[in-house]
Amino acid sequence: MGFILRIGTVSLALVSLAAASLSKRDYSLPWRPQVHFTPPQDWMNDPNGLFRDASGLWHMYYQYADTLDPGNDKSWGSATSENLLAWTNLPIAINDISGVSSIWSGSAVIDSENTSGLFPNQTNGVVAFYTSWTSTKQSQFMAYSSDNGLTFTNYPGNPVIDLNITDFRDPKVLFYAPTNSWILVVSHAVDGFIAFYRSTDLKVWTQVSTFSHPAIQGVLECPQFITIPLRENIWDPNSTILDVMYMLAISDNSQSTVKYVPGNFDGTTFTPVSSFPVATGGIAQSMDFGIDSYATAFYYGLDPTGNVVSTSWAVNLGYSTNVPTSSEGWESAMSIPRNHFLVKGADDAYFLATLPVDVSSMRETTPVSFPALGNSQLIVDYSAIDSRVIEFYVTVSTPQVSDNITTVLEFSSSATGENVQLQLTIPIAESPTNRISAFTMSRAGITGWTNNGNLATEFTVPNVGPFNKTDVNGVTTETYEFHGVIDRTILDVFLNGGINSGTMIFFPQESNMLDTMTLTVGGIANGSLSQVSLEAWGLKSGWEALTGESAQTGSQLKVVSFTQGTN
């Protein structure tokens, strides 16, 4: 995807990304996330060309415009990371061709066997595929890199796929080992289908099939085609692999959402699983229950039987150009990168498990840990943590027919009271097999940014089932959990082992960052075995290496109030 329209004055100041000032001030401004990737300045949208090289270094490209007023003209910005949380900015990798074409979204692969013939005596050649946009057509181009993705040369035989049409974009390539060939998927966006192409040399492509489905409709963009493990259970991301399946993830521009479809692939045709979950009305499921996640892309170069890793553009298309960070000189963030695998539900439907990548390397404080809370309120001050980034785990354990428990985790500003909330409600069951819980993520308490009063503020997962059940002395105990990271102006949360995940952006008043965490637990009856636990850490900034800022040794989360109720 490349087109973003802003109504207003277009800036004519073009600033080189490579020459941008990367001062401490740039990355310490109040709305700038610290463990979520943001561009050094100006505009960013879709993640592009994601891959991991043989040394373990992660490479991310992204749609970049050297203005805060984006339109069609895009290039590929570039950054690398050792842990997906602390990034090194690099010069633009693929520049737009002024007056000729714009470099829209795409993907990258490692041509380790030199099938393209472009990398003699080399096993780490990188080949990127992108959509070349002009006002009259969209076609698929190729560029190649002999220096591990730092710089690219456009293939002289471009375009490699040209149908002389518009709305034909976002190529994603993977290697298909059974036929020793490459597969490319690309979207016919407005026509609502995905085309599959095959090649043996990455240069000459033949269309072999198309995919469309009534469960996925709209203006389709950024198709991702990957292999993904089907694991035995949701509560263990390393549980036994039962199968390795294929999955299409497709962004719908008309709804600003990403849907996923598991299935099988025979080298020519992708066949989706026979049914979709009853709970979704038989349509394909969204990858995120929030509305601030789009253009999800998956990394190439991972173990084909291991969990897959993705990154999304953390925004909603309805207000992508109406966020206040332009006053700080940048716009848009990426989500926390996520690990994924599939599990199978009771109704034979397949579900995508989504968990954050390991953030433990970024912890800079000892944890706040309360392992067995009843009815209570706990208030933690994290204003001493410069990054203002908190990782948290909340777990609720309750007998199956017991209490009407409400657990609220709130992050607020001590100056203004602005807040975001996460709430898990577990009602008393009508029967041992009918306990309908719900989880809500809310930014209703934010007043600094309301999108002119047109901002959806609450996002709910209904019909939440327990993460796990255990039987102790004939009593069935259910366990629910939510885990996440709040990073100044973005919240990522993962419910019950990742069976649901949500992304939400928010912008409090700029001079009053959120600095207080409050856990409130209520509804546990006297003598009940129900209990709630909390564990939380302050995380250091991922930009320390860039800014020269060191971690705040000695700064800790501070428990300022703990009130225990009766139960």
Side-chain angles (χ1 to χ4, degrees):
M1 186 185 73
F3 177 67
I4 302 291
L5 175 65
R6 180 196 291 274
I7 304 299
T9 302
V10 176
S11 169
L12 298 179
L14 301 180
V15 182
S16 167
L17 180 61
S21 167
L22 301 178
S23 68
K24 176 179 177 179
R25 169 177 160 76
D26 290 325
Y27 280 95
S28 60
L29 289 169
W31 285 326
R32 174 84 81 163
Q34 300 296 294
V35 297
H36 292 72
F37 182 82
T38 54
Q41 80 286 318
D42 298 328
W43 173 266
M44 176 184 74
N45 55 288
D46 308 356
N48 294 159
L50 310 182
F51 74 94
R52 189 184 191 193
D53 68 27
S55 72
L57 189 68
W58 302 86
H59 297 250
M60 179 175 66
Y61 307 95
Y62 54 90
Q63 290 283 277
Y64 171 74
D66 51 8
T67 173
L68 290 170
D69 297 284
N72 291 311
D73 293 334
K74 301 291 173 60
S75 300
W76 276 25
S78 178
T80 57
S81 176
E82 295 181 355
N83 65 359
L84 293 167
L85 300 166
W87 291 89
T88 299
N89 287 307
L90 298 173
I92 289 175
I94 307 177
N95 258 307
D96 65 334
I97 306 170
S98 181
V100 178
S101 69
S102 180
I103 312 301
W104 278 18
S105 290
S107 61
V109 298
I110 302 169
D111 188 11
S112 58
E113 301 296 326
N114 191 28
T115 62
S116 65
L118 297 169
F119 309 105
N121 304 314
Q122 189 175 348
T123 59
N124 65 341
V126 180
V127 182
F129 294 86
Y130 64 87
T131 295
S132 170
W133 176 92
T134 72
S135 60
T136 57
K137 71 176 179 178
Q138 297 171 19
S139 53
Q140 313 318 313
F141 275 42
M142 183 175 90
Y144 59 95
S145 172
S146 299
D147 58 6
N148 202 32
L150 181 62
T151 61
F152 284 85
T153 300
N154 274 308
Y155 174 56
N158 281 330
V160 292
I161 306 176
D162 184 8
L163 303 183
N164 199 30
I165 60 174
T166 59
D167 297 310
F168 176 52
R169 56 183 177 265
D170 307 334
K172 169 67 174 178
V173 178
L174 86 164
F175 186 70
Y176 184 67
T179 59
N180 200 36
S181 60
W182 300 93
I183 301 297
L184 178 150
V185 295
V186 61
S187 176
H188 289 254
V190 174
D191 293 331
F193 70 89
I194 306 301
F196 282 72
Y197 287 76
R198 180 191 296 131
S199 174
T200 57
D201 64 2
L202 293 170
K203 296 180 288 190
V204 178
W205 293 91
T206 302
Q207 183 175 321
V208 294
S209 66
T210 62
F211 172 81
S212 62
H213 198 285
I216 298 183
Q217 298 184 18
V219 179
L220 307 185
E221 298 184 316
C222 304
Q224 298 288 297
F225 189 51
I226 59 170
T227 58
I228 184 169
L230 173 67
R231 292 196 178 273
E232 186 175 26
N233 57 62
I234 184 66
W235 53 86
D236 181 3
N238 298 306
S239 62
T240 301
I241 295 176
L242 304 178
D243 195 4
V244 176
M245 301 182 67
Y246 285 83
M247 188 178 82
L248 267 174
I250 303 171
S251 296
D252 176 5
N253 183 290
S254 60
Q255 298 293 322
S256 192
T257 188
V258 183
K259 301 291 182 65
Y260 67 90
V261 182
N264 299 292
F265 183 66
D266 62 6
T268 298
T269 303
F270 175 71
T271 305
V273 293
S274 58
S275 63
F276 295 100
V278 173
T280 67
I283 63 172
Q285 297 182 91
S286 294
M287 289 184 65
D288 197 289
F289 72 84
I291 61 172
D292 293 329
S293 179
Y294 193 70
T296 301
F298 290 83
Y299 279 86
Y300 184 88
L302 308 184
D303 179 351
T305 63
N307 295 342
V308 296
V309 178
S310 77
T311 295
S312 302
W313 178 27
V315 80
N316 185 278
L317 296 180
Y319 43 75
S320 62
T321 59
N322 191 31
V323 295
T325 61
S326 57
S327 67
E328 294 186 352
W330 63 277
E331 287 194 37
S332 295
M334 297 299 183
S335 68
I336 282 280
R338 287 138 154 87
N339 286 305
H340 305 276
F341 57 95
L342 292 171
V343 292
K344 200 170 185 179
D347 60 354
D348 285 337
Y350 292 83
F351 295 89
L352 182 67
T354 301
L355 295 167
V357 297
D358 184 8
V359 303
S360 61
S361 65
M362 306 300 287
R363 294 172 182 166
E364 72 166 343
T365 69
T366 55
V368 165
S369 182
F370 284 77
L373 295 170
N375 296 323
S376 56
Q377 184 176 75
L378 170 68
I379 301 175
V380 178
D381 177 0
Y382 61 92
S383 61
I385 309 303
D386 265 0
S387 69
R388 295 293 208 281
V389 185
I390 300 295
E391 178 194 10
F392 56 87
Y393 281 89
V394 175
T395 303
V396 181
S397 298
T398 176
Q400 193 172 46
V401 182
S402 182
D403 306 313
N404 188 6
I405 306 173
T406 299
T407 304
V408 179
L409 185 65
E410 178 183 275
F411 298 89
S412 62
S413 164
S414 59
T416 66
E418 287 183 283
N419 65 82
V420 296
Q421 291 186 352
L422 299 170
Q423 178 170 316
L424 176 63
T425 303
I426 308 174
I428 296 173
E430 296 177 9
S431 72
T433 59
N434 184 23
R435 194 174 201 180
I436 307 301
S437 304
F439 183 81
T440 299
M441 175 173 66
S442 174
R443 57 189 174 194
I446 295 295
T447 61
W449 172 68
T450 63
N451 192 31
N452 299 319
N454 297 312
L455 189 67
T457 58
E458 291 192 350
F459 313 98
T460 298
V461 182
N463 306 323
V464 174
F467 175 51
N468 199 3
K469 292 184 180 182
T470 56
D471 193 304
V472 178
N473 298 324
V475 177
T476 299
T477 296
E478 298 178 340
T479 301
Y480 301 77
E481 70 166 29
F482 55 96
H483 170 210
V485 174
I486 186 166
D487 184 2
R488 297 196 179 190
T489 53
I490 182 170
L491 172 63
D492 305 78
V493 65
F494 306 88
L495 179 64
N496 284 350
I499 201 66
N500 296 103
S501 63
T503 309
M504 183 175 72
I505 63 173
F506 56 92
F507 300 97
Q509 298 176 33
E510 190 173 18
S511 59
N512 295 291
M513 290 189 288
L514 306 188
D515 57 10
T516 305
M517 175 176 64
T518 303
L519 178 70
T520 305
V521 180
I524 299 177
N526 287 336
S528 171
L529 298 177
S530 297
Q531 61 184 31
V532 176
S533 66
L534 168 71
E535 194 164 28
W537 297 260
L539 304 185
K540 62 185 177 182
S541 170
W543 299 111
E544 287 176 359
L546 179 66
T547 63
E549 177 185 342
S550 60
Q552 273 197 308
T553 55
S555 296
Q556 297 292 334
L557 305 176
K558 181 182 179 182
V559 177
V560 296
S561 175
F562 176 59
T563 304
Q564 182 77 45
T566 58
N567 62 280

